[in-house]
Amino acid sequence: MSHSLDEMLHLMRCLRDEKHGCPWDKKQDFSTIAPYTIEEAYEVSDAIQRNDMPNLQEELGDLLFQIIFYIQLADENNEFNFDSVVETLKQKMLRRHPHVFPDGTINSFGQISVSEVSEEELKKQWGAIKATEKASSSSNDTSLVSILDDVSNGLSPVIQATKIQKKASSVGFDWNDIPPVFDKIREEIDELEEAFHASSQEQIASEFGDVLFGMINLGRHLELNPEASLNLTNLKFRRRFAFIESCVRDKGEKISSLSLEQLDEFWEQAKQLGL
């Protein structure tokens, strides 16, 4: 049986068919599908981190289905279709890779040796092209008044913070060294503690956010991916907690019946075992 994209597009039309389609699929719109798309993207990332290729194949299919769903919704409203999405993507890639497609067409591939272009030149070229695209797209949009305006509010807060900081850094609003970042984090933690003792829950949340923002800033200066780093800790916590659960089962106890001190002893054992 063929598994062509055309079949998937037809399958999506069937699911949305007014008479015979799926009741759940028929009632969806862009906003209701968006959370699932974010979830699927994270599941793709998880499969990659686990190097689980069979699962990655499945998760990529789920993510592709989300894209097909959006295209079907837009096509029903005569806004855009699959062909226009692909054409837009193709033109963008041709435009952003003049070192690969020198005259902006696929036929010009191979006319330039990419090895002759340095990584620094590529970064400058990429930045110049994106700046041109931004200027063109915002030429009739007077609301775009900040370099931060093109950081999407739809991104996860961690990714948003990272991108915001990079944008600010690109115009010089940044520390040139790491020690001041540590100092700033200590300052924010002190303010959080003060808020905890004296302020409203709203102020505590604000100060807590400042601490998180500072930690993401530190990660950026240390050239660390904050989400990847946190995920490593999540995995570490899972391993150690599973060890605690195993020890509790071996004792014939319920985990809720043991004191924190007893559980912490198992935690330290897990650390000593390198879990």
Side-chain angles (χ1 to χ4, degrees), residues 10-52:
H10 176 64
L11 184 152
M12 187 70 252
R13 288 192 292 271
C14 292
L15 291 175
R16 291 277 298 177
D17 184 79
E18 186 174 343
K19 183 177 181 180
H20 300 291
C22 168
W24 186 89
D25 289 286
K26 287 192 294 182
K27 72 178 183 179
Q28 303 309 309
D29 57 30
F30 289 102
S31 62
T32 61
I33 292 297
Y36 296 103
T37 309
I38 296 170
E39 180 181 335
E40 295 298 350
Y42 275 111
E43 290 181 355
V44 166
S45 177
D46 176 60
I48 291 172
Q49 291 182 35
R50 292 184 288 103
N51 195 31
D52 187 340

Side-chain angles (χ1 to χ4, degrees), residues 137-270:
S137 64
S138 63
S139 58
N140 297 317
D141 184 4
T142 57
S143 65
L144 193 64
V145 296
S146 169
I147 64 169
L148 304 182
D149 286 346
D150 62 352
V151 178
S152 171
N153 290 324
L155 296 171
S156 76
V158 172
I159 296 176
Q160 273 193 67
T162 303
K163 286 183 173 289
I164 287 171
Q165 291 170 8
K166 286 182 178 179
K167 289 283 187 180
S169 179
S170 70
V171 294
F173 191 71
D174 198 4
W175 283 289
N176 295 321
D177 205 356
I178 295 178
V181 186
F182 280 105
D183 293 338
K184 184 63 176 177
I185 291 172
R186 293 187 186 98
E187 176 188 326
E188 298 295 357
I189 291 176
D190 289 342
E191 292 179 0
L192 173 60
E193 187 172 5
E194 291 175 9
F196 169 71
H197 290 296
S199 300
S200 66
Q201 191 68 15
E202 181 180 352
Q203 183 62 27
I204 294 171
S206 176
E207 297 297 346
F208 182 66
D210 290 347
V211 173
L212 294 177
F213 194 84
M215 290 301 300
I216 292 170
N217 198 12
L218 176 61
R220 183 174 58 84
H221 280 271
L222 295 174
E223 299 183 354
L224 297 172
N225 182 312
E227 289 203 327
S229 297
L230 181 58
N231 191 53
L232 288 175
T233 296
N234 289 340
L235 293 173
K236 180 170 59 180
F237 189 94
R238 286 174 180 268
R239 291 194 302 270
R240 292 177 180 176
F241 196 79
F243 177 82
I244 292 175
E245 292 174 312
S246 176
C247 291
V248 171
R249 282 195 297 268
D250 290 343
K251 289 173 62 68
E253 301 275 2
K254 291 184 177 181
I255 193 167
S256 58
S257 68
L258 300 182
S259 68
L260 178 59
E261 289 73 19
Q262 290 172 301
L263 296 176
D264 198 47
E265 287 182 12
F266 293 137
W267 180 270
E268 290 301 321
Q269 290 178 31

Side-chain angles (χ1 to χ4, degrees), residues 4 47 59 78 82 87 109 166 207 224 261:
S4 69
E59 297 300 344
N78 297 314
F82 180 80
E87 180 63 23
F109 174 72
K166 286 182 178 179
E207 297 297 346
L224 297 172
E261 289 73 19

Side-chain angles (χ1 to χ4, degrees), residues 99 113-126:
H99 53 291
S113 174
V114 180
S115 61
E116 298 174 0
V117 184
S118 70
E119 185 173 344
E120 187 62 31
E121 289 174 324
L122 288 177
K123 287 182 179 179
K124 290 181 179 179
Q125 174 182 279
W126 183 266

